[in-house]
Amino acid sequence: MKARSAIVYSVLRLLAFLVPFGIMMLFPIMREYYWLAAIFAALIGLSLSLLFLRKPLDDVTTGLADRRAQTRASVSDEDAEDAAADAASGTDSPDAPTS
């Protein structure tokens, strides 16, 4: 995963929340009910991110999926040690088919 794509997506999501929140805090009624402004800003930010941040989200999720596939494809140390021990002792591995 590229760290840049995750950082870009996170910053854009924060901006999608903070900009509407800042605009709403300019209104006198929203200064009194700041929690309501935060709820509205969260809903607006969610809507904006669903509409406009599809490409950065795809980049992040593709990077995470690639990283996870590489981790699963690599052989762990325990598996390599078990295979070496089985080969040295001359016994078949438990996964080997029997006749």
Side-chain angles (χ1 to χ4, degrees), residues 33-82:
Y33 298 110
Y34 62 90
W35 54 271
L36 189 60
I39 291 172
F40 286 151
L43 291 173
I44 292 169
L46 176 66
S47 301
L48 290 175
S49 67
L50 287 175
L51 291 173
F52 299 113
L53 298 181
R54 180 67 58 186
K55 174 80 169 99
L57 177 62
D58 287 342
D59 292 342
V60 171
T61 55
T62 301
L64 286 172
D66 292 343
R67 185 175 174 188
R68 187 171 199 157
Q70 288 174 355
T71 303
R72 287 189 179 180
S74 66
V75 178
S76 67
D77 290 339
E78 293 86 13
D79 293 337
E81 290 172 0
D82 291 343

Side-chain angles (χ1 to χ4, degrees), residues 16-41:
F17 170 76
L18 291 175
V19 170
F21 184 72
I23 291 171
M24 281 190 269
M25 291 306 290
L26 294 175
F27 298 113
I29 190 71
M30 288 297 176
R31 284 189 209 136
E32 187 175 336
Y33 298 110
Y34 62 90
W35 54 271
L36 189 60
I39 291 172
F40 286 151

